[in-house]
Amino acid sequence: MRLAEVWKRLCAAGSLFLAASSSVSASSWDLSETTRSKWAAQELRQDKAPDGLPDGHIAKASKGDIGATWYSSPTTRYRHGVIGDAIEAGRLNVKDSAGTVHFLDLPESEVFEDRTPRLADLDGDGRTEVITIRSSSRGGGSVTLYGVRYGTLREIASTGFIGRANRWLNIAGIADYLGTGSLQIAYVETPHIGGTLRVFEFTGGPLREVLSARGFSNHAIGSRNLGLSATADMNGDGIADLLVPTNSRRELKALSLNSGTVREIASIKLPAELATDIHVERSAGGTAFLFGLDNGRFYRLK
């Protein structure tokens, strides 16, 4: 599937990780300073979630069988606190295309350790999947998919928990990184203690891991910023690539995944640690990435 088609499907599903509609050449990158206002201008505007987390929002979709989704029922029963506070969500809500609201409550031993769920039609069957980060007090984090099936909101598939308490993961992107026609989920497992990039594919059955690579981190412990990565075509082949920081968060790597392996397209050293979400700026002149570093300055990478 070409990037333009992926773009249409993600936009329709309201995904928070949108692939850029035009390519950017990583081989000729230039890093320059910009302003916070220009970075903020690219921020995705979302409505606050009702009875939600302090920084939780509603993800919306224009097509598919789910129109909106959000977390609610804030709880402090899971005392991990790696994403800014110890308040997590106990309930997932979706509003279907007919306007009916469905919800699912997790057991006391689990929470959604996340800010906002994501929407995408991962397997192209016309039904929207809700992509969440669900954590267990014993097993740590997982990527878990939900959907409305036979009139009920239910779990569809999961990566399974990491296997140890207080081990978290952060989703890095959702796109057709492999060029197969379906959308994959890329995430970094344990980004605070030596992160592993993992890519999973959903084609209607179980979630299946298709590749992995060590040495990445897309979150700083204690930060509310979960978007320290971006998706765009960075080598001009029409297939989505992933921009993600290394473990130090002082270097960004552009990765091509379409060969079934992680191949570095380019990398760039940063003058300080990446601290903010990476925003994708699209214009007639091409695609650029805007972000802030922990030195208090904002930069534009093109």
Side-chain angles (χ1 to χ4, degrees), residues 27 37 70 123 180 184 243 255:
S27 61
S37 61
W70 64 96
D123 57 354
T180 60
Q184 295 84 45
L243 182 68
L255 305 176

Side-chain angles (χ1 to χ4, degrees), residues 42-89:
Q42 302 298 323
E43 193 162 14
L44 184 64
R45 308 301 179 190
Q46 293 179 295
D47 294 333
K48 192 79 172 170
D51 184 33
L53 302 172
D55 49 7
H57 295 89
I58 302 172
K60 297 182 179 180
S62 60
K63 293 183 180 180
D65 61 339
I66 294 176
T69 183
W70 64 96
Y71 297 126
S72 65
S73 299
T75 177
T76 57
R77 68 191 186 219
Y78 187 74
R79 298 186 178 278
H80 193 198
V82 294
I83 55 175
D85 58 37
I87 303 173
E88 313 301 348

Side-chain angles (χ1 to χ4, degrees), residues 15-39:
S15 173
L16 299 183
F17 298 92
L18 301 180
S21 56
S22 57
S23 65
V24 55
S25 176
S27 61
S28 58
W29 268 345
D30 177 64
L31 184 67
S32 59
E33 283 201 44
T34 186
T35 63
R36 178 182 174 83
S37 61
K38 289 185 177 179
W39 169 83

Side-chain angles (χ1 to χ4, degrees), residues 6-7 11 29 57 77 86 91 105 161-162 206 211 216 222 234 277 289:
V6 173
W7 170 252
C11 283
W29 268 345
H57 295 89
R77 68 191 186 219
R91 172 176 289 185
D105 289 320
F161 298 117
I162 293 171
L211 55 86
F216 299 95
M234 286 173 260
D277 293 351
F289 306 102

